[in-house]
Amino acid sequence: MAPEPPRRHALPACRPHGGPPPPPTRDDYRVSGTAAEAIAAFETAVGVWRTALRDTAETDLDTADRCTYPHGGDAEDPFLDIVWWVNQEVLHHGAEIALLRNLYRDRRQTAGAG
């Protein structure tokens, strides 16, 4: 059995420090098999993003070409615009996770009451 490829997350693909990451492909992303794995992967990615932001100098926020995610115009955008976009994505997907968990929990409670 071949070893699993290392996990990659969309959030760390935008690195404000160091050289550009290698371009990710669909094969670089492993879909989690359980909700617990998905939540853990999401929390890991958010942690990496928070660390990147904490380590970014304020003067770098207006600098373009700080993010090289290959599927967008990120190279031309000021880093602050990328921060806004990524934070919106984190909120959006975090809300989806919360909604699905609540719906699943409610479905299980309703089925148990009947």
Side-chain angles (χ1 to χ4, degrees):
M1 183 176 225
E4 288 186 14
R7 280 185 189 236
R8 281 204 150 154
H9 306 284
L11 293 175
C14 178
R15 296 180 190 167
H17 296 288
T25 66
R26 286 190 173 274
D27 295 333
D28 290 327
Y29 297 95
R30 188 169 64 92
V31 176
S32 302
T34 67
E37 289 175 1
I39 291 168
F42 182 80
E43 289 173 347
T44 298
V46 169
V48 170
W49 178 242
R50 290 181 71 185
T51 298
L53 292 180
R54 194 173 23 248
D55 294 345
T56 299
E58 189 171 334
T59 55
D60 290 334
L61 294 175
D62 293 325
T63 304
D65 201 27
R66 299 278 297 162
C67 182
T68 55
Y69 191 72
H71 305 293
D74 299 352
E76 297 85 29
D77 294 339
F79 187 58
L80 186 59
D81 290 354
I82 304 301
V83 170
W84 180 88
W85 176 79
V86 170
N87 286 338
Q88 294 302 310
E89 288 294 309
V90 169
L91 291 169
H92 168 91
H93 293 294
E96 288 176 331
I97 291 168
L99 172 66
L100 291 172
R101 288 185 73 181
N102 289 343
L103 290 172
Y104 181 76
R105 183 184 59 228
D106 185 56
R107 185 186 81 183
R108 288 181 59 196
Q109 289 174 348
T110 303

